[in-house]
Amino acid sequence: MDHALACASSPLTCHEVLQGPLLSSLSSIRAGLTMYVIEDKGGAIALMLASLLFLGTWPAVLTLLERRGRLPQHTYLDYSLTNLLAAVLIALTFGQLGDSKDGMPNFFTQLSQDNWPSVLFAMAGGVVLSVGNLSTQYAWAYVGLSVTEVISSSMVVVIGTTLNYFLDNRINKAEILFAGVACFLVAVILGSAVHASNAADNEEKLNASNKLGANGSVEPSKGVLDKVSDGPKDLENGASGTKHVTRAEAGTAEYLIELEERRSIKVFGSSTFIGLSIVFFSGVCFSLFSPAFNLATNDQWHTLKDGVPHLVVYTAFFYFSISCFVIGIGLNILFLYRPMAGVPKSSFKAYLNDWNGRQWALLAGLLCGFGNGFQFMGGQAAGYAAADAVQALPLVSTFWGILLFGEYRKSSRKTYILLGFMLFMFVAAVATLMASSGHRSTK
């Protein structure tokens, strides 16, 4: 009643009367909040599972665009924008809302602290991740989505998980952890065998249909794409409306030829060695980014000055993503004018005008950004070695590869057997890695 009388007598008085209780309420609410940090094993595993879904899906989205013929430089420039946006959103929400915890300053507070040694470790992790992601973008075309993800992810576990185990002061159960690492190593070998067998199957199909030239070049498809019929929108081919081009059946020689004609990276006639070399290079890059991030957040090498808090995972991820963004943007602008792997030249103006599939590339950046962020949040709680269980992402990628792209359709029995054993070893490896989870002491 008193508030109503005050408002009636003077609008200014009304503002002052209502402002006091409102600000007091907001202050009390904020005082009851603290920075959101995952500290229990259950929460860490939940984040790892979300990360697994996101990190297994974004490669399929970029592969979809490459198979539609969109230049990889254009796609990666779009992807880089939203990948950075995800890190900024995580820093401004999880890293800034609520009061600081003991030894864990808020995001804005850490930006002004003398923590540059840890910042450089985080940025080094972003550099190797960005180079690895760029490499896999070409490896998907040469080797296929499924095998690329299996080999590179298994290398992350064999190399990166071993490094993280020692950096984390052995908080994971070694006898279980390294059994999982051994399973991943077997999966790498089987992944290489799957690719070689599938490549032989494809070459046999093309030779049988007389579509493969003597030098490995592809003969024109001569009418494979001429049929037109009514039908719904086709996700991979991008056709829409009441009319669309009838595509060849997945797994046939005609399908392989049609795909080669449409895609932006031409791979027929290239050696198996080229594709696998790109995959193994990307695997080495991916193996180093998580240990670098581990050093950034936990300072195992004692590079920070006394009294300077460790980087909180949200701040470290922000710096990590900044360097990832700079490298990704810089290299892909260079690739516009000096392309790789026979990709056509482009220009920055052409990129700005290319809206074909841009929404998918932007979505891929968000999926990858939040996927990496959730992996690091889970790793800070349960150990980065156990967090490498998200390298199960090829299980998701293989699902998308078979469902969307017809990978391994009409392949030989040998290829199917190798693929089955590869996935079995992968599931066993992930299960043992999850079982090795520990708990990081916050003291």
Side-chain angles (χ1 to χ4, degrees):
M1 184 67 180
D2 292 338
H3 289 172
L5 291 174
C7 288
S9 62
S10 171
L12 181 59
T13 303
C14 177
H15 173 74
E16 292 171 347
V17 168
L18 295 179
Q19 185 185 51
L22 178 61
L23 292 178
S24 177
S25 298
L26 290 175
S27 298
S28 62
I29 291 173
R30 179 175 174 81
L33 294 175
T34 56
M35 183 190 301
Y36 181 73
V37 178
I38 295 292
E39 295 179 338
D40 63 286
K41 184 176 177 179
I45 291 177
L47 281 177
M48 291 178 202
L49 291 175
S51 175
L52 168 63
L53 176 62
F54 291 172
L55 293 179
T57 300
W58 77 266
V61 176
L62 293 195
T63 300
L64 171 69
L65 294 177
E66 188 275 324
R67 286 175 171 238
R68 284 184 177 180
R70 193 171 198 245
L71 295 182
Q73 310 97 303
H74 293 186
T75 297
Y76 206 88
L77 286 169
D78 289 333
Y79 154 92
S80 297
L81 295 173
T82 47
N83 188 59
L84 176 62
L85 176 62
V88 173
L89 291 175
I90 288 175
L92 294 180
T93 53
F94 296 135
Q96 185 59 33
L97 295 179
D99 294 330
S100 300
K101 302 183 71 170
D102 291 340
M104 295 183 179
N106 282 338
F107 171 63
F108 287 134
T109 302
Q110 286 213 302
L111 293 181
S112 61
Q113 292 178 339
D114 185 14
N115 46 28
W116 278 104
S118 293
V119 169
L120 292 177
F121 278 123
M123 297 185 77
V127 169
V128 291
L129 177 66
S130 184
V131 173
N133 281 340
L134 278 170
S135 301
T136 56
Q137 189 170 218
Y138 292 90
W140 293 329
Y142 281 96
V143 182
L145 178 63
S146 304
V147 172
T148 297
E149 295 303 311
V150 166
I151 294 178
S152 60
S153 295
S154 298
M155 289 182 66
V156 169
V157 173
V158 173
I159 301 173
T161 301
T162 303
L163 293 175
N164 277 323
Y165 170 73
F166 291 103
L167 287 174
D168 280 336
N169 198 26
R170 308 182 184 187
I171 66 175
N172 301 98
K173 303 179 179 100
E175 65 278 8
I176 301 177
L177 179 72
F178 287 107
V181 170
C183 291
F184 270 108
L185 182 58
V186 174
V188 171
I189 298 171
L190 289 172
S192 300
V194 169
H195 169 62
S197 179
N198 194 52
D201 293 342
N202 290 340
E203 185 174 353
E204 184 178 344
K205 294 173 188 175
L206 292 167
N207 285 330
S209 64
N210 297 319
K211 296 293 186 180
L212 190 64
N215 62 349
S217 60
V218 181
E219 299 294 336
S221 55
K222 298 180 180 179
V224 170
L225 307 180
D226 290 341
K227 297 180 181 179
V228 178
S229 65
D230 295 335
K233 181 174 180 178
D234 185 291
L235 180 59
E236 180 179 349
N237 300 326
S240 60
T242 58
K243 296 284 184 180
H244 79 286
V245 178
T246 300
R247 301 293 177 178
E249 183 182 359
T252 62
E254 288 76 13
Y255 176 83
L256 296 173
I257 295 165
E258 171 199 323
L259 175 61
E260 179 74 3
E261 292 175 344
R262 187 175 66 245
R263 73 188 319 162
S264 60
I265 303 175
K266 308 301 181 184
V267 298
F268 279 176
S270 62
S271 69
T272 299
F273 177 77
I274 292 177
L276 290 178
S277 296
I278 297 174
V279 174
F280 281 105
F281 173 75
S282 67
V284 171
C285 292
F286 289 145
S287 299
L288 300 177
F289 83 84
S290 181
F293 194 91
N294 194 347
L295 286 166
T297 54
N298 295 298
D299 193 35
Q300 291 94 334
W301 292 352
H302 307 292
T303 57
L304 292 175
K305 295 179 181 178
D306 291 341
V308 177
H310 294 174
L311 278 187
V312 176
V313 63
Y314 311 118
T315 311
F317 184 50
F318 172 76
Y319 284 115
F320 174 94
S321 299
I322 286 287
S323 64
C324 197
F325 173 80
V326 171
I327 294 296
I329 292 291
L331 287 179
N332 277 282
I333 289 178
L334 174 65
F335 292 160
L336 288 174
Y337 301 94
R338 296 179 180 271
M340 297 171 53
V343 175
K345 283 187 177 181
S346 184
S347 65
F348 194 71
K349 180 179 179 180
Y351 156 68
L352 294 177
N353 292 329
D354 181 12
W355 288 89
N356 181 27
R358 173 159 286 164
Q359 71 276 17
W360 294 107
L362 295 174
L363 173 63
L366 287 174
L367 290 172
C368 184
F370 281 109
N372 284 330
F374 291 165
Q375 177 189 356
F376 294 144
M377 290 165 66
Q380 189 63 20
Y384 285 95
D388 283 336
V390 303
Q391 298 307 322
L393 62 94
L395 295 175
V396 180
S397 295
T398 299
F399 170 78
W400 291 122
I402 293 173
L403 181 66
L404 293 180
F405 311 134
E407 290 188 352
Y408 309 114
R409 299 274 180 88
K410 300 183 181 297
S411 292
S412 66
R413 183 179 180 184
K414 175 185 175 182
T415 299
Y416 288 138
I417 292 174
L418 288 171
L419 179 64
F421 275 117
M422 179 189 76
L423 293 176
F424 172 78
M425 291 304 300
F426 210 73
V427 171
V430 170
T432 53
L433 216 63
M434 281 281 193
S436 76
S437 296
H439 184 268
R440 187 186 305 278
S441 174
T442 58
K443 295 182 180 180

PDB file of all heavy atoms in Angstrom, residues 23-39:
ATOM      1  N   LEU A  23      16.996  -4.725  -6.657  1.00  0.00           N
ATOM      2  CA  LEU A  23      18.439  -4.929  -6.638  1.00  0.00           C
ATOM      3  C   LEU A  23      18.852  -5.823  -5.487  1.00  0.00           C
ATOM      4  O   LEU A  23      19.764  -6.635  -5.609  1.00  0.00           O
ATOM      5  CB  LEU A  23      19.162  -3.576  -6.542  1.00  0.00           C
ATOM      6  CG  LEU A  23      19.045  -2.672  -7.771  1.00  0.00           C
ATOM      7  CD1 LEU A  23      19.765  -1.360  -7.522  1.00  0.00           C
ATOM      8  CD2 LEU A  23      19.625  -3.365  -8.999  1.00  0.00           C
ATOM      9  N   SER A  24      18.158  -5.674  -4.366  1.00  0.00           N
ATOM     10  CA  SER A  24      18.467  -6.510  -3.211  1.00  0.00           C
ATOM     11  C   SER A  24      18.175  -7.984  -3.516  1.00  0.00           C
ATOM     12  O   SER A  24      18.947  -8.879  -3.159  1.00  0.00           O
ATOM     13  CB  SER A  24      17.647  -6.056  -2.001  1.00  0.00           C
ATOM     14  OG  SER A  24      17.891  -6.905  -0.897  1.00  0.00           O
ATOM     15  N   SER A  25      17.064  -8.215  -4.214  1.00  0.00           N
ATOM     16  CA  SER A  25      16.707  -9.601  -4.563  1.00  0.00           C
ATOM     17  C   SER A  25      17.709 -10.202  -5.533  1.00  0.00           C
ATOM     18  O   SER A  25      18.140 -11.348  -5.384  1.00  0.00           O
ATOM     19  CB  SER A  25      15.310  -9.648  -5.184  1.00  0.00           C
ATOM     20  OG  SER A  25      14.346  -9.183  -4.257  1.00  0.00           O
ATOM     21  N   LEU A  26      18.098  -9.402  -6.567  1.00  0.00           N
ATOM     22  CA  LEU A  26      19.064  -9.896  -7.535  1.00  0.00           C
ATOM     23  C   LEU A  26      20.405 -10.191  -6.878  1.00  0.00           C
ATOM     24  O   LEU A  26      21.060 -11.178  -7.188  1.00  0.00           O
ATOM     25  CB  LEU A  26      19.246  -8.873  -8.668  1.00  0.00           C
ATOM     26  CG  LEU A  26      18.054  -8.702  -9.610  1.00  0.00           C
ATOM     27  CD1 LEU A  26      18.327  -7.583 -10.600  1.00  0.00           C
ATOM     28  CD2 LEU A  26      17.746  -9.997 -10.344  1.00  0.00           C
ATOM     29  N   SER A  27      20.817  -9.332  -5.975  1.00  0.00           N
ATOM     30  CA  SER A  27      22.095  -9.536  -5.281  1.00  0.00           C
ATOM     31  C   SER A  27      22.061 -10.801  -4.435  1.00  0.00           C
ATOM     32  O   SER A  27      23.024 -11.561  -4.388  1.00  0.00           O
ATOM     33  CB  SER A  27      22.412  -8.327  -4.394  1.00  0.00           C
ATOM     34  OG  SER A  27      22.559  -7.167  -5.174  1.00  0.00           O
ATOM     35  N   SER A  28      20.928 -11.024  -3.772  1.00  0.00           N
ATOM     36  CA  SER A  28      20.833 -12.226  -2.931  1.00  0.00           C
ATOM     37  C   SER A  28      20.820 -13.489  -3.778  1.00  0.00           C
ATOM     38  O   SER A  28      21.389 -14.518  -3.392  1.00  0.00           O
ATOM     39  CB  SER A  28      19.574 -12.162  -2.063  1.00  0.00           C
ATOM     40  OG  SER A  28      18.412 -12.136  -2.873  1.00  0.00           O
ATOM     41  N   ILE A  29      20.180 -13.398  -4.962  1.00  0.00           N
ATOM     42  CA  ILE A  29      20.172 -14.563  -5.853  1.00  0.00           C
ATOM     43  C   ILE A  29      21.578 -14.859  -6.343  1.00  0.00           C
ATOM     44  O   ILE A  29      22.044 -16.000  -6.319  1.00  0.00           O
ATOM     45  CB  ILE A  29      19.226 -14.326  -7.048  1.00  0.00           C
ATOM     46  CG1 ILE A  29      17.776 -14.296  -6.574  1.00  0.00           C
ATOM     47  CG2 ILE A  29      19.412 -15.411  -8.108  1.00  0.00           C
ATOM     48  CD1 ILE A  29      16.788 -13.902  -7.657  1.00  0.00           C
ATOM     49  N   ARG A  30      22.303 -13.821  -6.770  1.00  0.00           N
ATOM     50  CA  ARG A  30      23.660 -14.005  -7.262  1.00  0.00           C
ATOM     51  C   ARG A  30      24.571 -14.515  -6.156  1.00  0.00           C
ATOM     52  O   ARG A  30      25.460 -15.345  -6.396  1.00  0.00           O
ATOM     53  CB  ARG A  30      24.201 -12.693  -7.844  1.00  0.00           C
ATOM     54  CG  ARG A  30      25.634 -12.852  -8.351  1.00  0.00           C
ATOM     55  CD  ARG A  30      26.144 -11.595  -9.033  1.00  0.00           C
ATOM     56  NE  ARG A  30      27.535 -11.740  -9.373  1.00  0.00           N
ATOM     57  CZ  ARG A  30      28.017 -12.362 -10.423  1.00  0.00           C
ATOM     58  NH1 ARG A  30      27.176 -12.935 -11.248  1.00  0.00           N
ATOM     59  NH2 ARG A  30      29.317 -12.451 -10.658  1.00  0.00           N
ATOM     60  N   ALA A  31      24.339 -14.022  -4.935  1.00  0.00           N
ATOM     61  CA  ALA A  31      25.178 -14.457  -3.821  1.00  0.00           C
ATOM     62  C   ALA A  31      25.002 -15.944  -3.546  1.00  0.00           C
ATOM     63  O   ALA A  31      25.896 -16.611  -3.040  1.00  0.00           O
ATOM     64  CB  ALA A  31      24.840 -13.657  -2.565  1.00  0.00           C
ATOM     65  N   GLY A  32      23.853 -16.477  -3.909  1.00  0.00           N
ATOM     66  CA  GLY A  32      23.617 -17.903  -3.690  1.00  0.00           C
ATOM     67  C   GLY A  32      24.137 -18.779  -4.810  1.00  0.00           C
ATOM     68  O   GLY A  32      24.071 -19.995  -4.725  1.00  0.00           O
ATOM     69  N   LEU A  33      24.633 -18.167  -5.889  1.00  0.00           N
ATOM     70  CA  LEU A  33      25.147 -18.927  -7.021  1.00  0.00           C
ATOM     71  C   LEU A  33      26.661 -19.004  -6.965  1.00  0.00           C
ATOM     72  O   LEU A  33      27.327 -18.071  -6.528  1.00  0.00           O
ATOM     73  CB  LEU A  33      24.732 -18.265  -8.343  1.00  0.00           C
ATOM     74  CG  LEU A  33      23.249 -18.250  -8.692  1.00  0.00           C
ATOM     75  CD1 LEU A  33      23.035 -17.443  -9.959  1.00  0.00           C
ATOM     76  CD2 LEU A  33      22.718 -19.661  -8.877  1.00  0.00           C
ATOM     77  N   THR A  34      27.206 -20.124  -7.421  1.00  0.00           N
ATOM     78  CA  THR A  34      28.642 -20.242  -7.612  1.00  0.00           C
ATOM     79  C   THR A  34      28.892 -20.788  -9.010  1.00  0.00           C
ATOM     80  O   THR A  34      27.983 -21.319  -9.654  1.00  0.00           O
ATOM     81  CB  THR A  34      29.270 -21.194  -6.573  1.00  0.00           C
ATOM     82  OG1 THR A  34      28.619 -22.464  -6.641  1.00  0.00           O
ATOM     83  CG2 THR A  34      29.143 -20.629  -5.165  1.00  0.00           C
ATOM     84  N   MET A  35      30.109 -20.622  -9.476  1.00  0.00           N
ATOM     85  CA  MET A  35      30.445 -21.091 -10.805  1.00  0.00           C
ATOM     86  C   MET A  35      30.107 -22.575 -10.950  1.00  0.00           C
ATOM     87  O   MET A  35      30.378 -23.371 -10.056  1.00  0.00           O
ATOM     88  CB  MET A  35      31.935 -20.872 -11.070  1.00  0.00           C
ATOM     89  CG  MET A  35      32.364 -21.271 -12.472  1.00  0.00           C
ATOM     90  SD  MET A  35      34.163 -21.266 -12.649  1.00  0.00           S
ATOM     91  CE  MET A  35      34.526 -19.571 -12.247  1.00  0.00           C
ATOM     92  N   TYR A  36      29.519 -22.921 -12.097  1.00  0.00           N
ATOM     93  CA  TYR A  36      29.111 -24.310 -12.331  1.00  0.00           C
ATOM     94  C   TYR A  36      30.327 -25.124 -12.760  1.00  0.00           C
ATOM     95  O   TYR A  36      30.910 -24.896 -13.822  1.00  0.00           O
ATOM     96  CB  TYR A  36      28.029 -24.368 -13.401  1.00  0.00           C
ATOM     97  CG  TYR A  36      27.536 -25.763 -13.690  1.00  0.00           C
ATOM     98  CD1 TYR A  36      26.721 -26.432 -12.786  1.00  0.00           C
ATOM     99  CD2 TYR A  36      27.902 -26.424 -14.859  1.00  0.00           C
ATOM    100  CE1 TYR A  36      26.274 -27.713 -13.028  1.00  0.00           C
ATOM    101  CE2 TYR A  36      27.457 -27.705 -15.124  1.00  0.00           C
ATOM    102  CZ  TYR A  36      26.645 -28.341 -14.194  1.00  0.00           C
ATOM    103  OH  TYR A  36      26.201 -29.616 -14.439  1.00  0.00           O
ATOM    104  N   VAL A  37      30.727 -26.075 -11.943  1.00  0.00           N
ATOM    105  CA  VAL A  37      31.870 -26.935 -12.237  1.00  0.00           C
ATOM    106  C   VAL A  37      31.461 -28.378 -11.971  1.00  0.00           C
ATOM    107  O   VAL A  37      30.924 -28.697 -10.906  1.00  0.00           O
ATOM    108  CB  VAL A  37      33.097 -26.574 -11.370  1.00  0.00           C
ATOM    109  CG1 VAL A  37      34.257 -27.520 -11.671  1.00  0.00           C
ATOM    110  CG2 VAL A  37      33.516 -25.130 -11.613  1.00  0.00           C
ATOM    111  N   ILE A  38      31.686 -29.255 -12.934  1.00  0.00           N
ATOM    112  CA  ILE A  38      31.401 -30.676 -12.760  1.00  0.00           C
ATOM    113  C   ILE A  38      32.452 -31.276 -11.834  1.00  0.00           C
ATOM    114  O   ILE A  38      33.661 -31.154 -12.086  1.00  0.00           O
ATOM    115  CB  ILE A  38      31.417 -31.412 -14.111  1.00  0.00           C
ATOM    116  CG1 ILE A  38      30.274 -30.914 -14.996  1.00  0.00           C
ATOM    117  CG2 ILE A  38      31.306 -32.922 -13.911  1.00  0.00           C
ATOM    118  CD1 ILE A  38      28.914 -31.292 -14.495  1.00  0.00           C
ATOM    119  N   GLU A  39      32.007 -31.902 -10.746  1.00  0.00           N
ATOM    120  CA  GLU A  39      32.942 -32.475  -9.789  1.00  0.00           C
ATOM    121  C   GLU A  39      32.666 -33.950  -9.489  1.00  0.00           C
ATOM    122  O   GLU A  39      33.463 -34.602  -8.814  1.00  0.00           O
ATOM    123  CB  GLU A  39      32.906 -31.685  -8.473  1.00  0.00           C
ATOM    124  CG  GLU A  39      33.384 -30.254  -8.624  1.00  0.00           C
ATOM    125  CD  GLU A  39      33.320 -29.463  -7.331  1.00  0.00           C
ATOM    126  OE1 GLU A  39      32.538 -29.861  -6.437  1.00  0.00           O
ATOM    127  OE2 GLU A  39      34.045 -28.466  -7.226  1.00  0.00           O
TER     128      GLU A  39
END
